[in-house]
Amino acid sequence: MAIILRLDRVMADRKMSLNELSEKVGVSNVNLSKLKTGKVSAIRFSTLNAICLALHCQPGDILEFVEEAE
Amino acid sequence: MDQKKIQSIIQKIRTSSLVMGIFCLLSSVLQAAIMLQRPLGLSTPATDRTLQLAYLQHEIAAGLSMLILLLTGILCLRMSRSGRPFSVKKSTIVFVIAILTILKAIIPSVVTAMLAGKWYVSLLSMSASSSLSEGLIFLFAALIMHYGTMLQQESDETL
């Protein structure tokens, strides 16, 4: 997919562990791990809102568009 | 979406499908018992040719009904265990039920007509049978369930 999640990068910048983020966002470790590895097909605005709130960042910091050759 | 409302609906699905599942499995066992009772000679076998054909038609339909009830019971019990009506296996079961219901309308009439040598009777009884329309309704439901399965998959992959 052309949209890549950069959650690991933002988490490393904020020095926040997966467990800590999981507690703050209210999403399980397993699901956050799926988000990190890009194994999800969509993300809810409510989840994105909670992540941005916990990491004090913008959605654009987490999501990145990479053009792919067809 | 309101999680409490979702949980309440799932609980209702679980309870009602458990009741339906037990009812269908018991009906299936009862149907099998009735079918087994006849060859054992506990009920009077028909001697007249027309009666024999009607009896055969009824027996084939009863056998297929038993299978349909058994599959419906399995489907309902699966639903009560998971609380989720949409999955690939469940939509396949509904599709099989649809095919069996259509066969229930076709096979008994065709077999009887073949033995009696009257094709118009077969056509008449097939078109008069409600199983044909029931089967088509089930086929439609299987399509809806297939679409529901795709939506469920999409929802599961959304965080």
Side-chain angles (χ1 to χ4, degrees), chain B residues 86 91 94-95 98 135-147:
Chain B
F86 301 115
S91 63
V94 175
F95 182 73
L136 291 173
I137 291 167
F138 268 116
L139 211 58
F140 183 59
L143 274 176
I144 293 170
M145 279 199 74
H146 184 66
Y147 180 59

Side-chain angles (χ1 to χ4, degrees), chain A residues 31 40-44 47, chain B residues 153-159:
Chain A
N31 285 340
V40 289
S41 57
I43 182 164
R44 287 192 184 91
T47 312
Chain B
Q153 202 176 348
E154 201 175 86
S155 167
D156 289 345
E157 285 176 8
T158 304
L159 285 178

Side-chain angles (χ1 to χ4, degrees), chain B residues 120-138:
Chain B
Y120 64 93
V121 179
S122 160
L123 281 172
L124 271 174
S125 61
M126 217 190 303
S127 56
S129 168
S130 63
S131 295
L132 196 64
S133 45
E134 283 166 15
L136 291 173
I137 291 167
F138 268 116

